[in-house]
Every structure is written in C-alpha cells, then in structure tokens.
Amino acid sequence: LKHANGDIIFFSDQDDYWLSNKIEKYMSVFEDNKEIAYIFSDLKVADENLNDLGKSLYSPKTAELAHNYEKTPLAAFKDIISVKVFVNGATSAFRREFLSLICPVPVTTMLHDGWTAALISAVAKVKFLSEKYSLYRQHRDNVIGYRGYSFLRRLKNAAKENKQRKIDELNCLRLLLKRLNELNITHKQESTSFLMNKIEILERHIKLYETNKASRAFSLIYDLTAGNYNVYFQKMKSFCTDLAAMLTN
C-alpha cells in the first residue's frame, strides 16, 4: 500500500479478473464526488476458467443495505462491524489520504480489506456500486471463496464457533478502537461509541463460557430481546449461531 503512488489505490491482491471498464467507472465516481472516500461493488462469481456461474457476491437484501451507505452516515461502518455486509477487497478502491489511518495493517480475523473498509467508513463516506466490474474466480485454492447465503450452512458451522473465535473478534475490535483513538480524526465519536458497545457485549459473551448452559441461553435471549442482536450482529442468524455454539461447547 505504501508503495502505491496514485491518488486512488485499488486492491489487486488476488487472481480475480477485472472487466475493462472497472477503473474508468471508479475514477469517474471519485472525480464527481470528492466526499466519497471508499468504493466497493458487486461482482460476478465465475469458475476457474472465468465462466460466469450466474451468481452475485451480494444478495439482493445486502445490496439494498449497501445502497444507503453514501447518504447515511456510519451505515457502512455499523454494517461492517456487525458483519451484516462483507466488503470484498477485489472490488475495493480508496483515496490515498487515508493510508495513515490504515497502516500498519495488523493480522486479524477481519483481514486487510475488512480492516481498511471499517476504518475509512468510520470517518468518511463509502459508496456501493451494484454493477459488476470483476469476475470472482472460484477454484480449489481460494483463501475464502464464494459461500452463498445458506442459513442451514451457518447453523452447521455453529459447532465450530467457540470461545477463541469470540476472543479473536474482540481483539480485532479493540485494535480498531485503539487506531481510531490514536489519530486526530473528526466525526469519530459515534463510531467509537458503537465499537465500545459491541466490545462490551463480546466481553460478556466470552465470560458466558464459564457459566452453565442455562445461564448462557438466558443471557443470549436477553441480548435478543434487548435488540442487541439487531444492532450489533446479524440479527437472528447470529443469535441462532451463538445459541447453538453455547449449547454444544
């Protein structure tokens, strides 16, 4: 990132394929609106030979959420922190002036693209483009790859959730909070407050592993009825995943 010498930096750290109009479109958006600091878009899911599989990275519901980011302050930040949306690095570009906020990039569960999107969206405007400017190449060596929107798959993976995964997420959010507090950035109070609230909830959830399963279930149900899962997590998806994990670990 520090070696990039342009005013706009594109992530190109993968083997996905850019369509010929991608850079031109992104640059026109940045030039037309100086307040836009970060752009990401949908993409086409393709096989290893770049054959279009007819799938989008973002579900219609997620895309609808993302369309509000430009006009709703901190909407992108809150959705990234609550994991309601995943910002794909292969589709991302941002203004060079935010490098001092981003770097150095720590190794966390959020990965470099999530880290970058979270920090910039905490202090500046983000824009989502529903048009597809890249082919998301799927093959046997994908680091992450396309996972689809299956709720059943999420529940099957709930058993993999454990105390350490919560601790990893907590440590990542603490690093984000520390970085925001270290720099003299305006308009960050609401974002830091949101972070601190989720950190407090995660700390409570981690302590639940020291209690009996009835207490765990009661505490999670409290967070659900209090609206915490709606605000700081993926609503019922996160609640069901946490409940299944708490009762099986």
Side-chain angles (χ1 to χ4, degrees):
L1 287 174
K2 290 181 177 179
H3 284 290
N5 55 21
D7 293 332
I8 303 297
I9 297 176
F10 287 76
F11 277 130
S12 181
D13 57 340
Q14 70 294 313
D15 61 358
D16 302 316
Y17 184 87
W18 292 8
L19 301 183
S20 59
N21 62 338
K22 175 180 175 177
I23 295 177
E24 179 182 5
K25 174 61 179 180
Y26 277 48
M27 293 301 294
S28 68
V29 173
F30 279 121
E31 291 168 2
D32 290 343
N33 192 333
K34 302 300 183 183
E35 292 187 346
I36 298 298
Y38 191 103
I39 296 174
F40 71 106
S41 70
D42 202 347
L43 41 67
K44 297 179 180 180
V45 181
D47 66 17
E48 59 185 331
N49 296 313
L50 298 180
N51 296 308
D52 188 352
L53 297 178
K55 299 176 181 179
S56 301
L57 179 63
Y58 298 108
S59 68
K61 184 176 181 180
T62 302
E64 183 179 354
L65 277 177
H67 275 300
N68 294 320
Y69 292 165
E70 182 180 358
K71 58 186 178 182
T72 307
L74 288 183
F77 174 77
K78 291 179 179 179
D79 281 353
I80 292 168
I81 298 303
S82 61
V83 204
K84 293 183 178 71
V85 65
F86 171 78
V87 177
N88 182 278
T91 73
S92 298
F94 58 93
R95 295 190 186 274
R96 180 184 182 82
E97 64 196 74
F98 291 93
L99 274 181
S100 60
L101 173 63
I102 299 163
C103 296
V105 180
V107 178
T108 72
T109 54
M110 187 170 271
L111 304 182
H112 66 286
D113 43 10
W115 172 266
T116 301
L119 284 171
I120 294 179
S121 64
V123 299
K125 283 190 176 182
V126 171
K127 184 175 181 64
F128 170 73
L129 303 176
S130 57
E131 298 86 356
K132 302 173 180 67
Y133 297 99
S134 304
L135 299 180
Y136 191 22
R137 195 194 310 253
Q138 303 299 298
H139 52 79
R140 63 181 183 179
D141 295 323
N142 284 116
V143 175
I144 297 179
Y146 177 79
R147 298 177 180 177
Y149 321 118
S150 172
F151 181 50
L152 179 60
R153 177 182 296 178
R154 183 186 182 94
L155 288 180
K156 287 181 178 178
N157 289 336
K160 299 178 183 178
E161 295 292 326
N162 53 45
K163 182 178 180 180
Q164 186 57 49
R165 290 169 71 94
K166 290 284 186 184
I167 292 173
D168 291 341
E169 182 180 5
L170 175 62
N171 289 337
C172 178
L173 297 185
R174 284 173 172 168
L175 286 172
L176 282 172
L177 180 62
K178 183 174 183 290
R179 180 64 57 84
L180 286 173
N181 286 332
E182 283 174 345
L183 300 174
N184 184 23
I185 302 169
T186 57
H187 312 302
K188 68 179 182 181
Q189 182 175 355
E190 186 178 350
S191 57
T192 54
S193 295
F194 189 87
L195 269 177
M196 288 189 291
N197 289 340
K198 179 158 185 180
I199 286 171
E200 186 273 331
I201 295 170
L202 283 175
E203 288 173 338
R204 268 197 296 107
H205 285 186
I206 290 169
K207 290 180 180 178
L208 287 178
Y209 281 94
E210 302 171 6
T211 66
N212 59 55
K213 293 182 178 180
S215 296
R216 299 176 189 180
F218 179 81
S219 182
L220 295 181
I221 292 171
Y222 166 80
D223 279 322
L224 178 67
T225 56
N228 289 333
Y229 272 100
N230 285 346
V231 176
Y232 300 103
F233 299 92
Q234 293 176 294
K235 302 182 178 179
M236 286 300 298
K237 289 183 180 180
S238 293
F239 170 75
C240 292
T241 299
D242 283 349
L243 185 62
M246 288 284 185
L247 296 180
T248 56
N249 286 279

